[in-house]
C-alpha cells in the first residue's frame, strides 16, 4: 500500500473538505487534526482492509495516527 | 413566529420557484427515473430533479449521508440564510433542531444491505451506523451549524412533520430563542418502493394526471414523492433583537391524536384533532379561512377526512385544497411543505389549487380546483395523517404587528 493509495482512500471514504486537501502535505498530520473523526477513521481503515486484504485490528487505530503511520501499519500486516 | 423557510419539492426548488409552480398548477409527478421501476405496479413519483445537493455541500459530508440528509442540509442551510440567523452570534445553546423523519436513509441502507449480502459484513460502510437513522437529519444539521440547543426527532409517517414543528414551538415557548424544524424524506429506491407498495395505498395509474386524485370518484391511491421543507421558528424577542427581516406568520395552534384500533366501534379522532388545534390557537372554526387537506387519495381515508372537516366547518363550510396533488405525498416533508404553502397563501391572499381532481360532490367539500382562488385569509388549518392512525393538525396565522 502506498501513500497515494492512502490519500485516495481518504478522499473517497472520508471526503475532501474545504479546509483540508488530502495531498502529500498532510501525511504526517494526525487524523484528528485533519478532521477525520472516529467513524470516518473506522471507514477509512475498513476500506484499507477490504482493498488490501489485511486485518488492521481496527480498535487500535485512533485519531492520533497519521496517514503515514497507517500505511506503515497496513504494510506490516 | 416563523422567520425563515426553504423548500425542496418535486415541482420547485426554493420558496419562489415552488410557489410560482404551485400557483400555476405545475406538477412534479412523473415516471420514476431514479431507478428501474418498470417491473413494479406503481411507477410514478414526485422526484426532486432540479437540485444536485452534492454541489452545495462539503465533500466531507458526502460519504456519510443518504440523499434525504443531503436535501435536508441544503434546505436547512437556506432556511437559516433566509432567516438571517448567524449561529456564531447566538448564545451557545440558543438554537435547537427538531426534524421529522418517516423512513430514515433508505437508499444508503439498501446499498449497505446489498454489500452485506453480496460481499460480507466487512463491506458494510461504517457510516451506516448513523446514515440510516431517523434522527440523522437533526444531528447533521446541528453539527454543521453548531446548533447546541435542544434537539429531537419525531417519527409519525406523514403526520410527523407537523408534530416536529409543534415540538419546535414548545421549545421556543420554553425560551429556546431559535429552533430549526421541518422534515425531508426520500425513499425512492427499490427497497423503499416495495416497502411503500406493501401499504396497498400506492396508485397504479400510469398517467401522472390520473394518478393522485384525492376526493375524486376515481381516487385509487396516492403517489409518493421526495423532499420537504425547513422552517426557522423564533421567539418574538429574539427576532426583534436581531432585526429579523422576514416574519412569515405564527404557528398558532396544534393538536395530535391517534385513531382507535379498527373494528372496535370507536370513531377516528381526526375531528377531535381539528377542534383541539383550532381551540389551541384561541380561535373558533369560523376564523379558519382555508384547509390544507391531508388528501390520502383513497376512498376510505378521503371519507374520514371529508367527514371530519364537514363536522367541524359544516358542509362546504371552508375552502379546502391539496397542493400535494402536484408533488405527491412527501412523508415527513409533507406537513412542513403544506405549512410553508399555507404561510405563503396567507401572505399573498391566494389559495393554491388542487390539480387533476374533479370533485365528486359526495364529500360536500368546497375544493379549490385547477386555479388559485384569491381570498382574504386570516388563518389556515393544515392536516397531516400518518399510516397507522396518526393525526396531526396545525393552525397558522398572521403575526400581529
Amino acid at each position: 500500500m502506498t501513500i497515494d493509495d492512502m490519500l485516495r482512500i481518504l478522499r473517497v471514504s472520508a471526503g475532501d473538505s474545504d479546509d483540508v486537501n488530502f495531498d502529500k502535505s498532510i501525511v504526517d498530520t494526525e487524523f484528528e487534526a485533519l478532521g477525520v473523526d472516529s467513524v470516518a477513521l473506522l471507514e477509512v481503515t475498513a476500506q484499507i482492509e477490504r482493498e488490501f486484504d489485511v486485518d488492521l485490528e481496527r480498535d487500535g487505530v485512533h485519531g492520533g495516527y497519521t496517514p503515514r503511520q497507517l500505511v506503515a501499519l497496513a504494510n506490516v500486516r | 413566529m416563523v422567520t425563515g423557510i426553504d423548500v425542496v419539492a418535486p415541482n420547485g426548488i426554493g420558496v419562489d420557484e415552488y410557489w410560482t409552480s404551485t400557483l400555476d398548477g405545475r406538477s412534479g409527478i412523473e415516471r420514476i427515473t431514479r431507478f428501474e421501476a418498470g417491473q413494479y405496479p406503481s411507477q410514478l413519483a414526485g422526484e426532486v430533479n432540479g437540485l444536485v445537493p452534492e454541489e452545495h455541500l462539503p465533500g466531507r459530508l458526502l460519504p456519510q449521508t443518504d440523499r434525504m440528509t443531503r436535501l435536508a442540509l441544503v434546505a436547512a442551510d437556506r432556511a437559516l440564510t433566509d432567516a438571517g440567523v448567524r449561529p456564531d452570534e447566538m448564545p451557545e445553546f440558543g438554537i435547537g433542531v427538531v426534524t421529522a423523519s418517516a423512513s430514515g436513509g433508505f437508499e444508503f441502507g439498501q446499498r449497505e444491505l446489498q454489500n452485506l449480502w453480496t460481499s460480507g459484513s466487512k463491506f458494510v460502510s461504517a457510516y451506516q451506523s448513523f446514515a440510516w437513522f431517523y434522527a440523522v437529519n437533526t444531528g447533521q444539521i446541528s453539527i454543521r451549524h453548531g446548533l447546541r440547543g435542544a434537539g429531537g426527532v419525531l417519527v409519525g409517517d406523514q403526520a410527523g412533520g407537523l408534530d416536529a414543528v409543534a415540538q419546535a414551538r414548545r421549545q421556543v415557548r420554553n425560551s429556546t430563542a431559535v429552533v430549526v424544524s421541518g422534515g425531508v424524506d426520500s425513499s425512492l429506491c427499490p427497497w423503499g418502493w416495495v416497502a411503500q407498495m406493501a401499504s396497498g395505498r400506492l396508485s397504479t395509474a400510469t398517467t401522472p394526471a390520473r394518478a393522485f386524485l384525492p376526493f375524486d370518484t376515481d381516487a385509487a391511491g396516492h403517489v409518493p414523492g421526495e423532499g420537504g421543507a425547513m422552517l426557522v421558528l423564533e421567539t418574538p424577542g429574539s427576532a426583534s433583537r436581531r432585526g429579523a427581516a422576514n416574519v412569515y406568520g405564527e404557528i398558532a395552534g396544534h393538536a395530535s391524536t391517534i385513531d382507535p384500533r379498527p373494528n372496535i366501534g370507536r370513531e377516528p379522532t381526526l375531528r377531535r384533532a381539528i377542534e383541539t388545534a383550532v381551540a389551541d390557537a384561541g380561535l373558533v372554526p369560523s376564523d379558519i379561512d382555508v384547509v390544507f387537506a391531508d388528501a390520502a387519495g383513497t376512498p376510505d381515508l378521503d371519507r374520514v377526512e371529508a367527514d371530519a372537516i364537514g363536522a367541524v366547518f359544516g358542509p362546504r363550510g371552508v375552502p379546502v385544497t391539496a397542493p400535494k396533488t402536484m408533488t405527491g405525498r412527501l412523508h415527513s416533508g409533507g406537513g412542513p411543505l403544506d405549512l410553508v404553502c399555507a404561510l405563503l397563501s396567507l401572505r399573498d391572499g391566494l389559495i393554491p389549487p388542487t390539480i387533476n381532481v374533479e370533485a365528486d360532490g359526495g364529500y360536500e367539500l368546497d375544493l379549490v380546483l385547477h386555479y388559485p382562488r384569491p381570498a382574504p385569509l386570516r388563518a389556515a388549518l393544515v392536516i397531516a395523517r400518518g399510516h397507522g392512525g396518526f393525526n396531526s393538525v396545525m393552525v397558522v396565522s398572521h403575526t400581529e404587528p
Side-chain angles (χ1 to χ4, degrees), chain A residues 12-17 22 34-35 40 43 50, chain B residues 58-60 63 122-127 129-130:
Chain A
V12 169
S13 295
D16 268 323
S17 87
F22 291 131
L34 292 171
E43 180 59 15
R50 292 167 201 144
Chain B
R60 188 61 53 85
K122 287 171 60 138
F123 289 78
V124 175
S125 166
Y127 299 122
S129 57
F130 57 74

Side-chain angles (χ1 to χ4, degrees), chain B residues 22-392:
Chain B
T22 297
L23 291 176
D24 282 352
R26 239 175 299 143
S27 171
I29 291 175
E30 295 288 349
R31 291 187 60 80
I32 291 170
T33 64
R34 195 65 53 72
F35 61 93
E36 180 45 64
Q39 59 187 306
Y40 301 115
S42 300
Q43 301 178 6
L44 303 178
E47 293 182 339
V48 171
N49 287 323
L51 172 71
V52 183
E54 295 73 21
E55 293 171 357
H56 303 272
L57 297 171
R60 188 61 53 85
L61 284 177
L62 300 185
Q64 57 177 267
T65 48
D66 179 86
R67 175 173 174 75
M68 62 109 188
T69 301
R70 296 176 186 185
L71 295 176
L73 283 168
V74 172
D77 284 1
R78 292 179 178 181
L80 281 165
T81 301
D82 184 50
V85 167
R86 302 276 311 274
D88 49 326
E89 291 171 4
M90 302 281 293
E92 186 181 7
F93 298 100
I95 308 180
V97 185
V98 182
T99 65
S101 177
S103 14
F106 248 74
E107 194 174 44
F108 198 107
Q110 175 180 335
R111 185 183 64 236
E112 297 311 321
L113 264 179
Q114 287 174 248
N115 287 340
L116 175 66
W117 287 105
T118 56
S119 311
S121 61
K122 287 171 60 138
F123 289 78
V124 175
S125 166
Y127 299 122
Q128 171 65 10
S129 57
F130 57 74
W132 72 277
F133 187 55
Y134 303 100
V136 71
N137 287 356
T138 287
Q140 292 282 24
I141 291 168
S142 150
I143 292 169
R144 176 156 167 74
H145 297 281
L147 310 179
R148 306 184 67 196
V153 66
L154 276 297
V155 181
D157 188 34
Q158 174 99 6
L162 294 189
D163 290 340
V165 175
Q167 177 64 5
R169 181 179 73 143
R170 277 184 209 102
Q171 286 171 353
V172 164
R173 286 178 164 181
N174 242 347
S175 309
T176 302
V178 176
V179 180
V180 178
S181 189
V184 173
D185 248 304
S186 175
S187 47
L188 298 181
C189 62
W191 184 36
W193 201 239
V194 301
Q196 292 177 75
M197 285 195 303
S199 73
R201 295 198 176 276
L202 258 57
S203 171
T204 55
T206 51
T207 311
R210 298 296 301 154
F212 183 23
L213 306 171
F215 306 116
D216 191 296
T217 42
D218 293 337
H222 70 267
V223 172
E226 63 176 350
M230 301 298 298
L231 298 88
V232 176
L233 270 62
E234 190 161 9
T235 62
S238 170
S240 144
R241 256 192 309 279
R242 60 175 193 87
N246 298 316
V247 178
Y248 292 97
E250 297 296 311
I251 307 297
H254 175 259
S256 54
T257 62
I258 193 122
D259 285 335
R261 268 205 326 273
N263 305 321
I264 59 170
R266 286 172 55 193
E267 302 246 310
T269 51
L270 176 60
R271 174 188 182 163
R272 193 162 85 222
I274 295 173
E275 291 168 338
T276 309
V278 171
D280 185 51
L283 300 174
V284 293
S286 58
D287 295 321
I288 302 295
D289 292 320
V290 60
V291 171
F292 285 76
D294 171 65
T298 55
D300 56 339
L301 293 171
D302 285 350
R303 168 57 63 192
V304 169
E305 184 168 30
D307 283 351
I309 293 171
V312 177
F313 299 100
R316 299 181 196 282
V318 67
V320 176
T321 190
K324 58 171 59 77
T325 44
M326 297 178 237
T327 61
R329 289 177 69 81
L330 303 189
H331 315 283
S332 68
L337 186 61
D338 276 347
L339 283 179
V340 169
C341 202
L343 289 167
L344 297 171
S345 299
L346 292 179
R347 180 190 72 184
D348 294 353
L350 272 175
I351 302 174
T354 304
I355 64 167
N356 300 327
V357 166
E358 309 290 340
D360 83 337
Y363 293 114
E364 297 202 282
L365 292 174
D366 174 20
L367 284 176
V368 178
L369 298 175
H370 311 311
Y371 305 106
R373 181 190 302 179
L377 302 174
R378 297 160 296 158
L381 188 98
V382 178
I383 299 174
R385 293 181 297 176
H387 189 77
F390 297 100
N391 301 302
S392 195

